[in-house]
Amino acid sequence: VVNGYTIHLEHVCAGSELQAVYDAMPLLGRSGLPALRGVQPFARARGTEIGVAIRDTGEFMDPRSHKDWWR
């Protein structure tokens, strides 16, 4: 992550419309990637659960350190 936040998703399948746009991008020179509207669905769960992880640009802190913010 360089700036902002990144969301990692597990156990999902991309929506067919989004996949079609993504697959067509190399033919158009792939100057960008497809974007989503605020409420547009992008995937479906493969089963009954999905995994979600959010990462920011902050550094991981060592809980053994005595100088970190929680002390």
Side-chain angles (χ1 to χ4, degrees):
V1 177
V2 177
N3 289 316
Y5 295 87
T6 298
I7 299 174
H8 300 272
L9 301 170
E10 298 177 323
H11 313 295
V12 298
C13 296
S16 58
E17 292 178 10
L18 181 61
Q19 187 68 48
V21 172
Y22 183 83
D23 290 342
M25 297 299 283
L27 302 173
L28 303 173
R30 195 181 291 269
S31 59
L33 294 173
L36 300 170
R37 292 184 180 90
V39 297
Q40 182 179 357
F42 62 91
R44 299 216 183 269
R46 287 185 173 173
T48 59
E49 296 183 357
I50 62 170
V52 179
I54 301 172
R55 171 99 194 269
D56 66 8
T57 56
E59 295 182 17
F60 292 107
M61 296 180 155
D62 185 345
R64 298 169 294 180
S65 175
H66 292 280
K67 64 179 177 47
D68 287 322
W69 60 270
W70 53 81
R71 293 283 180 169

